[in-house]
Amino acid sequence: MIYEEAIEYIGNIGRAGSDYGIERMRILLNLLGSPDAKLKFVHVAGTNGKGSVCAFLTAVLKEAGYRVGTYNSPSVFTYNERWRINGEPLGDELVAEYLTAVKNCIDDENARRKQRLGSGQNSLNCYDNLKFSALDAEKSEMLTVGEFNPTAFEIETAAAMLAFCGAGCDIAVLETGLGGRWDATNAVLEKELAVITPIGLDHCALLGDTLGEIASEKAAIIKRDVVTCAQCDEIMEQIRNPFDTVDGERVYRQANVNICGNAVLIKRDTEAQTFEYGGREYKIRLQGKHQLQNAAIAICAVEELRKKGWEISESDLARGLEKAEWSARLEFVKDADSRFAIEVPEGKTLVFDGAHNPHGARALAEAIGEYFGGLKIHLVMGMLADKDVDGVVSLLAPLCKSATAVTPDSPRALDKSLLAEKIGGYAPCGQGGSVGSAVQSALYGDCDVVVLCGSLTLFGDLKQ
């Protein structure tokens, strides 16, 4: 496939929906020759901060001279961003090449299954050369008959493994897509380290209604060693004692838990934050108090990697932290004109933040107060209907003088009229057309700061 065909292919698969479980993902990786077995992984789960921690770790490992593959989802501005080599997105040709390789593997497997069905062969015996140790036998039996239909995320995850092997990566940093236990990224067999970022309530319909239930799903990525931050007892209990399900029974194991220390702010401006951690001074360009905690988690992860033989000097760590970039996370946009054809009038500020759950909205609300207290704020917001919209709105809308609701380009989007009604309970709220035009109109209006927030899908819309 050429790039455009690959994008159409993955889009069609995505529209078919998703179901969760790592068994099919493991089969797909096995059929591809187990590329994950050739790689070393740092696996990151949590509610918020996953992408930022991945960005910090990627930059630090790159500074240390390692070749680093990074897998994040969803993308922010372009589809290719979900696969990065040393921080750079894959080019169109490579995206097409690896998606084609996965598609061909799936097509070949379906052809083999059809042939076996016609000949009456026992399906599971045909997989003797595959590694089923990680799979439940009954589920393996079911998954080796009928059509083989991996989800879009599973296909993209498999493409990531091929891309990282093809690029000769020394280590890969993986961000979970949803939860952890049944996430496609959790099908990899071995991990150098697991990282759990702050956990809050999100995806409750799939992960559970309590912090403990959600933490249990996310803690399932832990093999043995894990780095996290100080969290409530309900969460820490799950991180210390993750479990696997064996023959329908829970089998608990004790994790080796490393809790990061506190990062103490020294100074901040709109360019950078300087902080102290462990008696040393560091600087990061990512903004907001929450990023200090994310940086502390990354530092603690680096300390654990050093114990495992990874050579990362103190100067590598400091330079990597300072160079790390992560878009649409309290991003003070400096080049809106060249990137998005949006004019920011002199004296005004444009902020991008992908706060799409109450945990993220709380961090954004705190940052608005810290950076822009007393200024006139205009929110441009778009949300997905399956999120806690009321929770996000109740935290952010009271801080604004005015707002504009937009509809993200997603089948899961909440219509802007419904969102405007919810925001209108706190502040005057209009309805915008495209995301770009809504932001531009807001910047020309009576405000000091425009904050574009909500679904990460919004930022991709700016590139259209």
Side-chain angles (χ1 to χ4, degrees):
M1 297 182 290
I2 62 173
Y3 181 77
E4 290 75 17
E5 291 170 332
I7 296 301
E8 182 179 4
Y9 164 71
I10 203 70
N12 289 336
I13 298 290
R15 282 187 283 274
S18 294
D19 58 345
Y20 300 97
I22 62 172
E23 295 86 4
R24 185 177 51 239
M25 184 69 221
R26 186 64 253 167
I27 291 174
L28 178 56
L29 290 174
N30 288 342
L31 291 168
L32 287 165
S34 299
D36 60 304
K38 306 176 182 71
L39 296 163
K40 296 183 181 296
F41 297 98
V42 175
H43 199 188
V44 183
T47 301
N48 289 100
K50 300 188 297 295
S52 298
V53 170
C54 287
F56 283 131
L57 288 174
T58 296
V60 170
L61 287 162
K62 178 185 175 184
E63 282 299 310
Y66 294 108
R67 194 158 179 79
V68 190
T70 312
Y71 181 51
N72 301 104
S73 183
S75 305
V76 179
F77 295 116
T78 65
Y79 178 67
N80 298 20
E81 290 173 352
R82 62 194 62 204
W83 307 279
R84 295 176 185 264
I85 307 296
N86 276 0
E88 294 299 320
L90 284 187
D92 290 358
E93 289 186 3
L94 287 177
V95 170
E97 176 183 336
Y98 293 123
L99 289 178
T100 298
V102 180
K103 177 183 183 298
N104 289 344
C105 176
I106 295 168
D107 291 344
D108 289 346
E109 172 60 10
N110 278 317
R112 283 191 295 268
R113 290 186 179 203
K114 186 175 181 181
Q115 183 180 22
R116 288 196 302 271
L117 182 64
S119 63
Q121 283 182 274
N122 180 286
S123 61
L124 199 57
N125 289 343
C126 299
Y127 289 80
D128 287 343
N129 62 324
L130 303 183
K131 302 173 185 174
F132 277 98
S133 59
L135 307 183
D136 177 88
E138 184 177 344
K139 287 184 179 179
S140 301
E141 178 72 38
M142 291 188 297
L143 284 162
T144 55
V145 297
E147 278 196 80
F148 184 54
N149 294 316
T151 66
F153 186 65
E154 289 165 353
I155 292 169
E156 291 163 344
T157 303
M161 301 301 138
L162 294 178
F164 299 158
C165 282
C169 290
D170 301 300
I171 190 167
V173 181
L174 301 183
E175 177 187 348
T176 57
L178 176 65
R181 187 178 311 282
W182 307 119
D183 191 77
T185 58
N186 203 33
V188 301
L189 295 174
E190 298 295 335
K191 301 169 188 177
E192 286 286 278
L193 184 66
V195 176
I196 306 293
T197 65
I199 291 174
L201 296 174
D202 195 20
H203 298 292
C204 295
L206 293 170
L207 302 182
D209 295 323
T210 69
L211 288 174
E213 289 172 339
I214 292 172
S216 175
E217 293 305 306
K218 295 180 185 294
I221 72 165
I222 301 167
K223 294 289 188 182
R224 174 174 169 75
D225 299 317
V226 58
V227 165
T228 189
C229 56
Q231 307 202 51
C232 71
D233 291 344
E234 185 179 4
I235 293 172
M236 293 306 301
E237 175 67 20
Q238 301 303 324
I239 293 175
R240 291 190 178 98
N241 301 283
F243 71 86
D244 290 322
T245 302
V246 180
D247 296 328
E249 299 292 330
R250 291 187 177 188
V251 178
Y252 289 86
R253 59 188 185 278
Q254 189 170 19
N256 177 26
V257 182
N258 298 278
I259 301 174
C260 72
N262 292 321
V264 180
L265 179 67
I266 297 173
K267 62 179 179 179
R268 72 155 55 104
D269 55 34
T270 58
E271 298 296 328
Q273 301 187 91
T274 303
F275 66 94
E276 183 271 331
Y277 181 91
R280 296 181 182 272
E281 189 173 304
Y282 301 97
K283 181 183 290 187
I284 57 174
R285 288 189 283 179
L286 276 61
Q287 295 287 347
K289 180 180 177 181
H290 56 289
Q291 292 295 1
L292 300 181
Q293 185 175 64
N294 292 334
I297 292 171
I299 294 171
C300 188
V302 167
E303 291 170 348
E304 290 305 306
L305 289 173
R306 286 169 173 163
K307 294 176 185 177
K308 295 174 179 290
W310 295 87
E311 296 183 0
I312 306 168
S313 70
E314 184 57 34
S315 59
D316 296 332
L317 174 58
R319 286 196 304 268
L321 290 175
E322 186 171 358
K323 289 182 178 180
E325 297 179 346
W326 193 231
S327 298
R329 275 70 173 184
L330 198 64
E331 178 185 2
F332 299 160
V333 184
K334 306 294 184 185
D335 48 3
D337 189 13
S338 60
R339 291 169 65 192
F340 313 111
I342 292 174
E343 179 190 358
V344 180
E346 187 174 352
K348 296 194 175 185
T349 302
L350 175 61
V351 178
F352 290 169
D353 193 282
H356 57 271
N357 55 43
H359 197 269
R362 193 170 293 109
L364 174 57
E366 186 174 332
I368 289 174
E370 291 173 351
Y371 288 92
F372 307 119
L375 299 181
K376 291 180 285 187
I377 310 296
H378 185 104
L379 292 182
V380 178
M381 182 183 289
M383 293 287 296
L384 301 183
D386 55 5
K387 296 296 182 180
D388 182 359
V389 178
D390 290 330
V392 172
V393 168
S394 67
L395 287 164
L396 295 176
L399 304 178
C400 70
K401 177 179 181 292
S402 54
T404 305
V406 294
T407 305
D409 183 16
S410 169
R412 296 157 52 204
L414 178 70
D415 187 84
K416 60 188 177 184
S417 62
L418 298 176
L419 180 58
E421 184 177 342
K422 292 178 182 294
I423 296 173
Y426 300 91
C429 183
Q431 299 177 38
S434 70
V435 176
S437 64
V439 169
Q440 188 65 82
S441 295
L443 285 165
Y444 287 152
D446 181 22
C447 66
D448 302 305
V449 181
V450 172
V451 179
L452 174 62
C453 60
S455 169
L456 284 170
T457 308
L458 295 170
F459 305 100
D461 293 349
L462 290 173
K463 286 287 190 178
Q464 296 179 4

